[in-house]
Amino acid sequence: MQPERWAKNATKWIPNNGRRRRGRPRKRWRDDLDNFNTEWCEQALERDTWNVTITDFDLTSYRQCLSKWNAAAAVMHRECQALGARCLAVQYERLVLRPRETLARVLQFLELPWSERVLHHERYIGRPHGVALSNVERSSDQVVRAVNREALDKWVAHVPADVRADMAELAPMLSRLGYDPWANPPRYAEPEDPAAAAAPAPPNHPLDT
């Protein structure tokens, strides 16, 4: 089944073939949903109206999200430290600001040879032997884009002043990971030379033809 057809196939009711038996019609599985919301079927088919949710995160509360993030980051940091040399921590902002330097470190950690193609993942999405993405995954519209820096400060103007004032207490992992919890906007590493970061991928690969 094509990914974009699953909602239609899952919500459309197909009646039994043949003659209906005597008595009251059998209750359909969707009848309870119809009693709750008569437009649920149409809404399920309209992907653009779906809300993005993250389990246990209240996306209307910056305080709750920061606390949840801090707890998750603390667990990951502790587990990475326990693994020692078998774990490599990669900061998102360093990846997008200094992609060549960061990806070189990742490939070295994985004991893989360097390839310029890792700087241009967007060129291989949807290509034969390339990267396949789901049409129903909400983050796919971001993954198809080239590495960019838009998300680094997109959130700055949205965090309430009282939350910014309590940032160090709400998320102490910020300081532990090397961030200044009071910096708004945040201070990141210097970006790479744009010419180096945007170097073209070599054309001698099957995916490039």
Side-chain angles (χ1 to χ4, degrees), residues 10 57-58 99 130 139 147 184 203:
F57 278 73
D58 178 4
S139 62
V147 173
N184 191 277

Side-chain angles (χ1 to χ4, degrees), residues 42 46 77 81 105 112 115 124 144 149 152 155 160 169 183 191-192:
E42 291 74 17
E46 185 58 52
H77 183 65
Q81 286 188 317
R105 190 163 63 96
L112 295 173
S115 171
Y124 309 114
V144 297
R149 307 168 187 172
L152 291 182
W155 53 271
E169 296 179 7
E192 284 178 334

Side-chain angles (χ1 to χ4, degrees), residues 31-191:
D31 288 342
D32 289 332
L33 293 174
D34 287 338
N35 292 333
F36 175 73
N37 180 2
T38 58
E39 298 180 355
W40 70 268
C41 186
E42 291 74 17
Q43 293 173 358
L45 296 174
E46 185 58 52
R47 291 182 61 243
D48 292 337
T49 63
W50 294 355
N51 292 323
V52 178
T53 59
I54 305 176
T55 304
D56 295 331
F57 278 73
D58 178 4
L59 300 186
T60 64
S61 171
Y62 284 93
R63 288 181 176 273
Q64 193 260 17
C65 286
L66 277 169
S67 297
K68 289 285 186 180
W69 172 86
N70 186 80
V75 171
M76 289 187 287
H77 183 65
R78 183 169 61 250
E79 292 180 349
C80 189
Q81 286 188 317
L83 289 171
R86 292 183 296 161
C87 178
L88 176 68
V90 178
Q91 293 175 305
Y92 172 78
E93 66 275 6
R94 292 199 68 88
L95 174 64
V96 299
L97 286 170
R98 308 186 68 83
R100 181 180 296 273
E101 172 189 301
T102 305
L103 289 171
R105 190 163 63 96
V106 171
L107 291 182
Q108 183 180 20
F109 174 78
L110 297 173
E111 298 181 351
L112 295 173
W114 170 255
S115 171
E116 292 286 326
R117 295 177 188 86
V118 299
L119 299 173
H120 306 279
H121 74 279
E122 73 282 358
R123 298 183 181 182
Y124 309 114
I125 293 176
R127 301 283 300 277
H129 309 293
V131 181
L133 294 177
S134 170
N135 291 332
V136 297
E137 171 55 53
R138 294 291 293 186
S139 62
S140 293
D141 60 344
Q142 297 297 316
V143 180
V144 297
R145 302 175 60 192
V147 173
N148 62 83
R149 307 168 187 172
E150 290 183 9
L152 291 182
D153 55 8
K154 193 174 182 179
W155 53 271
V156 170
H158 300 280
V159 181
D162 62 303
V163 176
R164 295 199 304 267
D166 297 337
M167 194 79 76
E169 296 179 7
L170 291 171
M173 281 301 298
L174 286 171
S175 298
R176 189 165 186 182
L177 294 175
Y179 301 102
D180 181 355
W182 291 282
N184 191 277
R187 294 187 290 270
Y188 296 125
E190 290 296 322

